[in-house]
Amino acid sequence: MTNIVHRVAGWFFSGNSGMEDVGSIKVYKNTNHPTKAWSEISVKQTVNKVVPLSPDTPISVDKLRVVCISDTHTKIEAVPKIVPDGDILIHAGDFTNVGLANEVKKFNAFLGSLSHQVKIVIAGNHDLTFDDEMVNNRRDYLRRNFGVSEKGFEQLLETYNVQHVKELLTNCVYLEDAGIDVCGVHIYGSPWQPEFCDWGFNLPRGEKCLEKWNLIPSSTDILITHGPPIGHGDACFDKNRAGCVELLSTIQQRVKPKYHIFGHIHEGYGVTSDGHTTYINASTCTLRYRPDHAPVVFDYPVPEGHMKDELLKISPQRLIRSAFH
């Protein structure tokens, strides 16, 4: 399957065209110290806990049932019944442990067993082989630290008759700094997060992260990132914060999505709201890597002029750094 870099009917490619005032978002002075940063800005922030929708709630014809999971780490395939039915499944990254091809194949088969009409997936820091910079320039690092040898990796790709591990995801829409229009709802996905133990899709805090957030279209309704924003679902077991200040600023000041879905910090699982955006840490695995957290479910009203029948027109495809218009 070849990379899709052009407009396809039903797909949403509206990235930053240069007309949006992305320059108004500034790097926070203490962005490199997220716990301190949050203590400073939290006095002007609203963080309300939200009780998610029960998966037993009947699915409506005028609403899209969205089911959110993340950080499954090859564990959920053994308990597929944990995932409730819905129209759209969203996975916010870390579906593997280190990105091995056999892990991806297993995950893809799991996705194929689910009934959701549209399945949307982004990568996370554990999905190492999805990070092109690591694969192209840090092969020795992958081999020494994660046992992903170049020879073994290439042999598996050859066995599966693909050139890139991303091609193994045939049962979902894969988003990497790209978006899709689903029944008039604009969904955008980005795998990046501030540096975290030198795993995949890591960027220095501040300007480098902000460059990625500047790509998020202002018309995004549902945002998917792997890492959390500061202050929402980002508190680690030691009470330190891991979220990104600039991500929160981008969400609150420019993009203003209805929902933001992420994972990464397993112990941050849960749902909160700032009064406009609902933040969902959908980590399936606990801190001990047990798949004990239930998927988070919500309903999104089908926008006027659209129908749920449009779901049938969306076929699994790969979107890799799609061209923005």
Side-chain angles (χ1 to χ4, degrees):
M1 184 183 298
T2 57
N3 292 359
I4 299 174
V5 293
H6 57 280
R7 182 179 295 276
V8 180
W11 293 76
F12 171 64
F13 288 98
S14 172
N16 171 28
S17 63
M19 300 300 292
E20 298 166 343
D21 188 15
V22 295
S24 62
I25 308 297
K26 304 297 182 184
V27 173
Y28 188 70
K29 61 181 180 179
N30 283 319
T31 191
N32 289 318
H33 306 283
T35 304
K36 181 178 181 180
W38 180 245
S39 70
E40 295 168 346
I41 67 177
S42 61
V43 294
K44 296 183 178 181
Q45 290 288 325
T46 297
V47 181
N48 293 324
K49 289 187 176 181
V50 175
V51 178
L53 183 71
S54 169
D56 295 327
T57 304
I59 298 176
S60 172
V61 295
D62 61 349
K63 294 179 182 178
L64 295 166
R65 173 62 52 85
V66 183
V67 179
C68 307
I69 58 177
S70 185
D71 296 78
T72 52
H73 296 285
T74 75
K75 306 296 184 182
I76 199 170
E77 291 85 343
V79 286
K81 292 183 179 179
I82 192 177
V83 182
D85 292 334
D87 299 305
I88 303 171
L89 177 76
I90 291 177
H91 194 300
D94 278 6
F95 44 87
T96 71
N97 289 314
V98 293
L100 296 176
N102 58 338
E103 293 178 321
V104 181
K105 285 281 287 185
K106 183 179 179 182
F107 175 66
N108 185 63
F110 160 73
L111 290 176
S113 71
L114 300 178
S115 63
H116 308 76
Q117 186 63 42
V118 177
K119 299 147 190 174
I120 300 173
V121 174
I122 69 168
N125 60 303
H126 275 255
D127 307 315
L128 296 162
T129 58
F130 280 68
D131 186 332
D132 292 337
E133 194 277 331
M134 275 201 162
V135 172
N136 294 332
N137 303 318
R138 305 184 67 189
R139 288 294 183 90
D140 287 343
Y141 178 79
L142 286 173
R143 177 182 53 79
R144 290 196 312 269
N145 292 276
F146 304 105
V148 183
S149 68
E150 183 170 357
K151 182 178 180 181
F153 182 63
E154 298 292 350
Q155 285 179 339
L156 271 177
L157 293 183
E158 185 176 346
T159 298
Y160 295 135
N161 195 30
V162 296
Q163 296 182 345
H164 200 293
V165 69
K166 297 173 187 178
E167 296 177 48
L168 296 175
L169 287 181
T170 60
N171 291 322
C172 68
V173 174
Y174 173 73
L175 299 183
E176 187 176 311
D177 297 326
I180 180 175
D181 185 318
V182 180
C183 301
V185 180
H186 301 323
I187 304 174
Y188 185 90
S190 179
W192 306 95
Q193 75 263 210
E195 288 176 323
F196 194 85
C197 301
D198 198 17
W199 285 62
F201 295 103
N202 275 203
L203 293 171
R205 288 183 178 273
E207 193 63 41
K208 291 297 183 181
C209 283
L210 182 56
E211 288 176 3
K212 296 298 183 183
W213 311 145
N214 283 345
L215 297 175
I216 303 170
S218 293
S219 53
T220 299
D221 299 309
I222 298 176
L223 174 63
I224 314 166
T225 64
H226 182 60
I230 194 75
H232 293 269
D234 72 322
C236 300
F237 69 94
D238 59 3
K239 307 304 180 183
N240 284 316
R241 295 281 175 175
C244 178
V245 182
E246 287 68 43
L247 180 54
L248 182 67
S249 297
T250 297
I251 289 170
Q252 292 183 333
Q253 298 176 34
R254 182 175 66 81
V255 180
K256 302 178 182 179
K258 292 293 190 294
Y259 291 90
H260 178 207
I261 301 155
F262 52 90
H264 190 43
I265 305 303
H266 297 187
E267 59 270 43
Y269 169 81
V271 186
T272 55
S273 172
D274 63 9
H276 178 84
T277 298
T278 298
Y279 301 85
I280 299 174
N281 183 326
S283 296
T284 301
C285 282
T286 65
L287 187 61
R288 296 182 180 275
Y289 284 75
R290 294 177 57 87
D292 293 342
H293 291 152
V296 178
V297 175
F298 67 88
D299 283 345
Y300 197 104
V302 177
E304 186 176 354
H306 293 271
M307 300 175 60
K308 287 178 72 169
D309 289 350
E310 296 171 31
L311 292 168
L312 301 174
K313 301 177 182 179
I314 301 176
S315 300
Q317 299 283 356
R318 294 184 304 121
L319 286 179
I320 303 175
R321 292 190 179 87
S322 302
F324 293 115
H325 298 275

